[in-house]
Amino acid sequence: MILITGGSGYIGSHTNKYLNQKGIETLVFDNLVYGHLEFNKWGKFYKGDLSNLDDLRKVFAKNSIKAVIHFAAYAYVGESVIKPNKYYQNNLRNTINLLQVMHEFEVDKIIFSSTCATYGEPQYLPIDENHPQKPINPYGNSKYFVEQIIKDYHSAGFLNYCIFRYFNAAGADIDCEIGEWHEPETHLIPLVLDVPAGKREEITIFGTDYSTQDGTCVRDYIHVTDLAQAHYLGLMHLLEGKESNIFNLGNGYGFSVKEVIDCAEKITGKNIKRKFSERRAGDPSTLIGSADKAKEILGWKPEYNELEKIISTAWHWHKKM
Ligand code: UDP
């Protein structure tokens, strides 16, 4: 049995589906604060909170957990600046709780969702795993600190790990059973799609004076099912007893905000009204990650890596919402 914390959320639910399709038994552990009950279509589900050690102990006592995939976290960068306590309590303290119970039950394999936000301002591109880590907000710090803690447990012989640093997760399940559903929504692609869906008048572009090809920010968008595939491969890697490691997950090339909107116009066949505004605080101009290491060591092969595929799956889901 594989325990998936945060398995009712965006990347967690896609990974849960992927693992079940591969015949792997899963148990989702989620407090449903940001996760959705509707996304628990595969495996077992336990509604619990990582702040509650007894919830965790119950689950570990009743199930033979072989490994944990740990998604559960808050992930709103802007909010983390205003409410750091919320982020350190949940992302940091509650992860320490999880590690505590894993240690008690001698579960020694974890896949941890980290982020390119642990790198901070890029010093070179594409960003590889050796790029210095200097997070610039509490969200990035919380993930960075957890990485260090996991490495310390590993050095002490308690834990083996795959740490994944995601770039911009996007798109939706190809069968349209699950997709991106955040409340509130802050991500570019679903907000852009709100315009052709008739839910929003216009999309606001944050900053047009960046030193990029068209002045808007460039990001490396990676399809959520390709992320799910990486988690499956990371899990196999650990279950086969292979070395703990850290991997970027991105496509290795970026698209500007304007390019994303242009592509969404093409896919939806509708004009998407744009409004231009100031830069959003804390946004680096360009984030592109090299995922060569994941391809080489895990054999990861992203399948939905064209922007058209990412946006068309997102649009398919968006219309259903
Ligand atoms: N962005 C934008 N308008 C929006 C939301 C996002 O221009 O309404 C920009 C944002 O400034 C960033 C890019 O789109 O450059 C991707 O933002 P998102 O929040 O999706 O992901 P992030 O890169 O912050 O993780």
Side-chain angles (χ1 to χ4, degrees):
M1 179 72 71
I2 305 301
L3 182 72
I4 307 181
T5 74
S8 314
Y10 177 40
I11 307 172
S13 61
H14 286 77
T15 300
N16 185 34
K17 175 174 180 178
Y18 198 96
L19 295 189
N20 278 273
Q21 284 177 327
K22 293 283 181 187
I24 295 170
E25 281 189 302
T26 60
L27 168 57
V28 167
F29 183 99
D30 200 299
N31 61 10
L32 299 179
V33 169
Y34 289 118
H36 307 289
L37 196 57
E38 296 89 330
F39 282 5
N40 296 318
K41 299 175 200 265
W42 305 274
K44 287 172 53 173
F45 175 68
Y46 185 93
K47 185 171 184 237
D49 199 292
L50 294 175
S51 64
N52 184 338
L53 285 162
D54 289 335
D55 271 358
L56 275 168
R57 288 189 179 115
K58 256 186 236 158
V59 164
F60 278 77
K62 279 198 190 138
N63 298 278
S64 164
I65 310 282
K66 298 272 179 292
V68 177
I69 307 185
H70 180 38
F71 292 101
Y74 295 144
Y76 291 108
V77 171
E79 183 187 56
S80 80
V81 177
I82 299 160
K83 298 179 179 169
N85 186 54
K86 180 173 172 180
Y87 280 71
Y88 289 122
Q89 292 294 328
N90 191 35
N91 297 5
L92 191 56
R93 185 201 57 188
N94 290 348
T95 299
I96 294 172
N97 284 349
L98 174 66
L99 294 174
Q100 161 74 26
V101 177
M102 286 177 69
H103 191 40
E104 286 169 17
F105 286 82
E106 296 178 356
V107 176
D108 65 354
K109 294 175 186 66
I110 190 165
I111 296 183
F112 175 60
S113 300
S114 188
T115 165
C116 63
T118 61
Y119 294 118
E121 287 290 337
Q123 295 178 11
Y124 58 84
L125 293 166
I127 296 170
D128 60 20
E129 292 82 356
N130 297 320
H131 186 287
Q133 287 180 289
K134 291 188 184 156
I136 53 170
N137 51 60
Y139 167 68
N141 274 329
S142 71
K143 292 286 184 177
Y144 174 73
F145 296 147
V146 171
E147 287 195 9
Q148 307 316 307
I149 294 168
I150 287 175
K151 287 185 209 165
D152 287 342
Y153 275 57
H154 174 70
S155 302
F158 298 142
L159 197 60
N160 295 302
Y161 65 83
C162 271
I163 292 173
F164 287 127
R165 297 182 187 142
Y166 314 143
F167 283 72
N168 286 56
D173 171 39
I174 200 84
D175 309 318
C176 208
E177 292 186 280
I178 44 179
E180 190 161 12
W181 177 7
H182 294 116
E183 283 170 19
E185 187 53 81
T186 60
H187 294 107
L188 180 66
I189 293 175
L191 290 175
V192 166
L193 295 176
D194 269 352
V195 181
K199 295 180 190 158
R200 188 179 297 271
E201 269 289 297
E202 58 196 8
I203 179 74
T204 303
I205 298 180
F206 298 137
T208 52
D209 58 349
Y210 286 100
S211 54
T212 57
Q213 71 268 28
D214 61 21
T216 65
C217 284
V218 169
R219 292 289 180 272
D220 184 342
Y221 295 92
I222 176 80
H223 196 280
V224 64
T225 302
D226 287 333
L227 293 180
Q229 182 207 139
H231 287 75
Y232 166 71
L233 294 170
L235 178 66
M236 292 302 113
H237 180 90
L238 288 183
L239 293 175
E240 285 162 14
K242 293 184 183 156
E243 250 181 49
S244 294
N245 219 326
I246 299 177
F247 302 99
N248 280 345
L249 297 178
N251 275 318
Y253 42 82
F255 293 97
S256 72
V257 172
K258 280 188 182 160
E259 284 174 322
V260 167
I261 303 171
D262 290 345
C263 183
E265 283 187 334
K266 204 169 100 190
I267 281 159
T268 62
K270 296 194 180 164
N271 182 44
I272 298 175
K273 199 173 156 199
R274 302 142 197 232
K275 184 177 136 193
F276 302 101
S277 89
E278 294 299 298
R279 292 179 176 201
R280 188 171 71 176
D283 269 344
S285 78
T286 302
L287 286 175
I288 296 173
S290 159
D292 291 350
K293 193 172 160 188
K295 289 175 186 162
E296 196 184 309
I297 296 179
L298 299 178
W300 184 48
K301 285 196 196 89
E303 280 182 58
Y304 308 102
N305 47 358
E306 287 155 22
L307 187 63
E308 282 79 6
K309 280 192 191 160
I310 291 174
I311 296 184
S312 60
T313 56
W315 177 231
H316 201 189
W317 165 255
H318 210 81
K319 284 188 291 186
K320 194 174 152 178
M321 285 271 285

